Amino acid sequence: MGVGRMGLPLERVSDEALLSGLATGDPEIAVAFVRRFQRAVYGVAVAVVGDPRIAEDVAQQTFERAWRHAQVYDGRRGSVGAWLTAIAHNLAIDAVRARRATPVSPEDLETLVGIVSETPERRALADDAAERVRRAVAALPREQARALVMAGIYGMTAREVAAFEGVPLGTAKTRIRAGTIKVRALLESEGTR
């Protein structure tokens, strides 16, 4: 018996059950799954790539990948939403890397950190999850925020961040890691309120 055939409206079915049902190819379940997560997935994609059309492509690829790899989801490692947004984030970084024609100048980083923190366009396009991430990044110390933006949005390696910032590799790694831990903690604390 499929998820949608259990007598429960699909809106009340758990995320994990919807993901399991997605692998069956049931179109009703697929539509319910996409509707449940489309804002979060698109919000992450648009926050990373900055282009609504490319973000739509990334979101589509995210749902295709979720459908193909639903069986590898492990609930012990995080929620379905976190798994999907991680897929979207990775695909969005790949899209940014693919179209990155020129390196980012150090002068542009302050603007970039500001964009991640606040802009009306981003706020209008991105969903609540992306807004929470921007607030969490904006709450970081400046050097951690810069390192996290370079690594997370521009997909730079720790070595590239170190060279760019003129700091030792270990310092760059520490800034990225500490920033990631702080953002994760802030997001988790917001989620429990």
Side-chain angles (χ1 to χ4, degrees):
M1 178 181 279
V3 174
R5 313 290 182 251
M6 288 190 240
L8 280 176
L10 287 175
E11 302 82 44
R12 296 182 56 207
V13 173
S14 73
D15 295 346
E16 292 79 10
L18 268 183
L19 180 61
S20 295
L22 184 66
T24 67
D26 183 321
E28 185 181 348
I29 293 172
V31 168
F33 186 82
V34 170
R35 283 189 179 145
R36 184 171 295 179
F37 294 105
Q38 67 188 3
R39 289 188 66 211
V41 167
Y42 177 76
V44 167
V46 80
V48 173
V49 300
D51 181 325
R53 287 185 312 224
I54 295 172
E56 288 174 9
D57 291 340
V58 168
Q60 177 67 34
Q61 293 170 16
T62 300
F63 287 112
E64 288 171 5
R65 189 165 291 179
W67 171 67
R68 285 194 316 266
H69 301 288
Q71 70 280 1
V72 300
Y73 167 74
D74 181 359
R76 295 173 295 186
R77 297 186 65 198
S79 69
V80 172
W83 180 69
L84 269 177
T85 55
I87 292 170
H89 182 261
N90 292 338
L91 289 171
I93 286 175
D94 290 346
V96 168
R97 284 180 180 154
R99 65 173 216 207
R100 181 171 57 182
T102 57
V104 179
S105 71
E107 299 81 39
D108 293 339
L109 278 176
E110 289 302 318
T111 303
L112 180 59
V113 169
I115 288 171
V116 170
S117 304
E118 286 293 322
T119 59
E121 297 83 17
R122 300 257 184 216
R123 197 175 313 125
L125 290 173
D127 71 333
D128 296 334
E131 181 63 27
R132 287 178 29 227
V133 170
R134 281 194 294 280
R135 283 195 312 265
V137 170
L140 294 175
R142 210 70 178 154
E143 65 278 351
Q144 287 178 2
R146 287 172 57 96
L148 195 57
V149 165
M150 285 187 276
I153 293 181
Y154 278 97
M156 295 172 74
T157 65
R159 188 172 307 282
E160 290 170 326
V161 171
F164 200 80
E165 293 287 285
V167 297
L169 177 59
T171 301
K173 287 180 178 180
T174 299
R175 288 178 181 176
I176 294 167
R177 177 91 174 121
T180 302
I181 290 169
K182 287 178 184 175
V183 166
R184 186 173 292 143
L186 286 168
L187 293 175
E188 286 174 0
S189 71
E190 272 190 21
T192 59
R193 286 187 216 162

